[in-house]
Amino acid sequence: MPDVTQNPLPAPERPLRLGTRRSPLAMAQAHEARDRLCKAHEWREDAVEIVPVLASGDKVQDRPLAEIGGKALWTKELDGWLIEGKIDFSVHSMKDVETIRPEQIAIAALLPRADVRDVLVGASSVAAIPPGARVGTSAPRRAAQMLSLRPDLTVVGFRGNVATRLAKLQAGEADVTLLAAAGLERLGETGVGHPLEAAEWLPAPAQGAIGIECRADDAFVKQALSAIDHAPTRAQIMAERELLLALGGNCHSPIAVWTRGDSELTMTARLYSPDGLVKVEGEATFSANSDGASVLARRLLADAPEAVAVHFAGPPA
């Protein structure tokens, strides 16, 4: 955790309400956010009240998110509670947050980014997966990357929290699956599966990052959260979100990206056709807060074969 800030704020007159999804991973992330905030300002733990909210994405488990509303299913309840003043701030896995956010909401803090890698469960490597095996995932990126490397495999739909997906794997609904290393680490499940190196198996945009949002006009909460905002993580995540915006992808668009650095960033991105048979890749190094990610997006779209380009609309008008 960060050192105590030199100018801690006084504790709020009433507990600040931190909204979160109810899943075990979301709750772990909420506790981390509360702990970092209270330590930064020398507040007692009860200065922040964690408020669990049931998200639409947690209610529907039998269909891919892309079929039922996309990333908004993870955020719309929390967004509504935040805008209405039922909570003061909210915590999210940034890979689940839509690229365009309501103007009333600000991304006030990004916690230090954890391990960006995916973990393969059920085999020691992609090459070691048995021929013709079933890969359990509902993520277009993971499906396309796997089929690009192993077109002999079959992808089967697989949704749910970490425990649910591991139980489905154990029950034989698939032969292998993929999970985020950061999520496993936050749940204390560090011995599960085999991490895939990020240089070869690129992660999802913003994977491994926890974001904290508040109302854009809430000066006290914004100032409080600024104490735990991690500048290198912010540079990486905002660049990856800029890339997404410029690409004009949606929940059906397979995109993988890996960004390194802080004031100077190196970004590697790949766009796939959903079946993984066609891809385009690019890399760029640029200064944080520049338009380097947008430039890379334009280059990728210009180079993309039709089988890939059709899944990306380009930047908004």
Side-chain angles (χ1 to χ4, degrees):
M1 291 189 181
D3 293 334
V4 175
T5 179
Q6 293 180 356
N7 298 296
L9 293 178
E13 294 181 358
R14 60 159 178 81
L16 297 178
R17 297 156 299 181
L18 174 57
T20 177
R21 290 170 48 213
R22 293 183 180 178
S23 74
L25 177 55
M27 291 296 291
Q29 293 178 163
H31 280 89
E32 179 178 344
R34 180 182 66 182
D35 293 348
R36 287 180 179 273
L37 185 62
C38 289
K39 180 177 180 180
H41 296 291
E42 302 175 318
W43 294 347
R44 289 173 29 155
E45 186 179 281
D46 59 9
V48 175
E49 175 190 359
I50 293 177
V51 181
V53 176
L54 184 61
S56 296
D58 292 315
K59 299 174 188 175
V60 183
Q61 296 288 334
D62 59 345
R63 284 171 288 166
L65 284 179
E67 293 181 5
I68 56 175
K71 291 183 177 182
L73 293 176
W74 297 131
T75 58
K76 68 177 183 179
E77 281 83 6
L78 287 167
D79 288 353
W81 281 42
L82 186 57
I83 292 169
E84 293 167 17
K86 294 180 179 178
I87 55 176
D88 300 296
F89 54 133
S90 55
V91 61
H92 300 282
S93 294
M94 284 306 296
K95 69 182 181 64
D96 295 332
V97 176
E98 311 98 291
T99 309
I100 299 175
R101 303 297 288 133
E103 62 180 10
Q104 305 100 310
I105 293 176
I107 300 173
L110 289 157
L111 304 187
R113 195 173 194 176
D115 194 334
V116 302
R117 295 177 296 176
D118 273 345
V119 170
L120 179 65
V121 185
S124 59
S125 67
V126 173
I129 300 173
R134 297 161 301 157
V135 181
T137 183
S138 292
R141 170 191 63 91
R142 287 171 171 159
Q145 282 200 107
M146 186 62 78
L147 292 173
S148 178
L149 296 170
R150 292 288 306 273
D152 62 298
L153 303 180
T154 300
V155 173
V156 296
F158 228 51
R159 276 202 55 220
N161 61 33
V162 169
T164 298
R165 281 186 274 172
L166 290 175
K168 287 182 177 181
L169 188 68
Q170 186 67 28
E173 295 185 26
D175 300 301
V176 297
T177 192
L178 295 144
L179 298 167
L184 291 170
E185 180 181 338
R186 289 173 182 138
L187 290 169
E189 300 281 357
T190 52
V192 174
H194 300 270
L196 301 175
E197 290 308 312
E200 300 168 8
W201 180 280
L202 298 184
Q207 185 154 312
I210 297 172
I212 308 174
E213 296 186 321
C214 69
R215 287 182 295 278
D217 61 359
D218 192 331
F220 177 81
V221 174
K222 285 179 73 174
Q223 184 180 358
L225 290 172
S226 69
I228 59 171
D229 186 41
H230 188 247
T233 297
R234 176 170 287 274
Q236 294 172 17
I237 298 310
M238 291 309 180
E240 292 180 7
R241 290 173 64 80
E242 179 188 327
L243 179 81
L244 286 176
L245 183 65
L247 288 171
N250 57 46
C251 288
H252 298 279
S253 308
I255 172 173
V257 58
W258 181 38
T259 306
R260 294 83 75 198
D262 40 54
S263 58
E264 183 172 87
L265 302 173
T266 297
M267 175 182 285
T268 305
R270 291 188 198 123
L271 314 182
Y272 293 85
S273 59
D275 60 10
L277 298 180
V278 184
K279 67 179 179 180
V280 60
E281 180 174 346
E283 185 170 288
T285 298
F286 49 88
S287 298
N289 302 316
S290 72
D291 65 348
S294 296
V295 172
L296 176 58
R298 292 194 292 270
R299 177 154 56 90
L300 287 167
L301 291 175
D303 293 344
E306 178 64 19
V308 173
V310 70
H311 300 284
F312 297 87

